[in-house]
Amino acid sequence: MAPRRHLLLRLWVVATAGVVMAIAAGAYWWEGQLPGKLRQASRVGDLNACLRYSEQLAALRWLGKGAPEEQALCRREQAQRLWDRGERHAALALQQQLVQSGHGDASLDRKTLNRWRDDLREQALELFRDGELESAIALLAPLDQGRPAGSGRLGEQLQEVWNRNRLENDRLEQLMADQRWWEALDSLNRLDHPWWQDQASGSRRTIESAINALRSTQEHQQHGASNPDVIAGAELDEAVRDRLVSGMDPWEAFQESCSNLGGAVEEDGPESFCLRRPAEGP
């Protein structure tokens, strides 16, 4: 019985070794076929197949040959095609994998990755300057991915600038409604985003006209201010401001306000003031 058992054991060992060798030979043969298949897939533009073959080849590297240049080539071409089609997120992810893999021209691949990142930032900033905050943040998502909140992500910085300008614009509108022109001018000058500055361009004209009118009114009131018949003070200022808000010219606003308050504009050299008209007799 013992010789028979030894014979069966030897047969089992031989059979097992044969199977293992056949598998190894098959894997070795398939590894040898993969470079050619990679080149063929690359030539015909079948980049999905190229990537599939490159992954298989990478899995067989333990057999000793390693992945050839074609493995990096197909990833590089696929990333470029994704970028050209506008699939920015997928292109950056694939290019990042290529850089991390260490295959191909590492210096060239890293330059491409950095160039794409810079292009993405410029596109996002252009959208941001045009007032398209959400689109800009969405475009920056692959660059900010993996960075924790509060770590200086560009998307967060853009959101902060936007929120600050929006709140300042709200304050500006309230100050204008209260006719607090000098404070409104200070608030207006705090806007530092092109889109919000453009939105407030009409407010700037109104504020500057109101301030100029106030200065003009003060100058008009200086001469003859001690004359009890001179109309001056808050009543005249308010009447002038109401007309400025409606878009009237400052000088016309002063003249009409003076007339409505029962006065007439008197000029004395370079100065002018609003003088109450004498009451008409019986």
Side-chain angles (χ1 to χ4, degrees), residues 50-208:
C50 187
L51 287 172
R52 185 171 64 255
Y53 292 141
S54 68
E55 291 173 358
Q56 293 177 11
L57 186 59
L60 296 173
R61 291 180 66 185
W62 62 274
L63 290 177
K65 286 195 172 182
E69 172 64 21
E70 285 83 354
Q71 182 180 9
L73 176 62
C74 66
R75 287 183 176 178
R76 188 179 300 118
E77 290 183 0
Q78 177 75 327
Q80 185 65 59
R81 291 194 181 190
L82 289 170
W83 181 265
D84 293 341
R85 291 204 303 261
E87 300 179 37
R88 306 293 195 237
H89 294 202
L92 284 171
L94 188 57
Q95 189 69 17
Q96 180 69 40
Q97 291 176 8
L98 177 60
V99 171
Q100 294 175 344
S101 71
H103 301 311
D105 190 332
S107 176
L108 174 63
D109 293 333
R110 184 168 294 279
K111 286 181 180 179
T112 299
L113 179 62
N114 291 336
R115 186 179 73 253
W116 286 357
R117 287 174 171 172
D118 291 341
D119 289 347
L120 209 60
R121 290 189 188 95
E122 287 300 320
Q123 293 174 33
L125 289 175
E126 185 175 350
L127 288 171
F128 179 64
R129 287 190 290 268
D130 291 340
E132 300 182 32
L133 173 66
E134 297 302 327
S135 297
I137 291 178
L139 200 61
L140 290 171
L143 300 184
D144 290 341
Q145 187 175 8
R147 301 183 61 184
S151 61
R153 294 188 296 187
L154 183 55
E156 291 180 345
Q157 296 176 28
L158 299 187
Q159 183 73 64
E160 181 181 348
V161 171
W162 184 269
N163 291 342
R164 185 180 69 249
N165 278 265
R166 178 176 54 80
L167 292 174
E168 196 65 54
N169 187 71
D170 292 343
R171 178 173 178 267
L172 167 64
E173 292 179 352
Q174 184 60 53
L175 290 170
M176 291 180 62
D178 296 340
Q179 298 186 358
R180 295 160 62 183
W181 303 113
W182 288 107
E183 293 175 79
L185 179 61
D186 177 70
S187 182
L188 179 67
N189 290 334
R190 291 176 184 272
L191 297 177
D192 57 3
H193 186 283
W195 188 84
W196 285 104
Q197 290 172 342
D198 184 65
Q199 296 300 303
S201 59
S203 299
R204 179 175 293 278
R205 289 190 292 269
T206 300
I207 292 170
E208 291 177 347

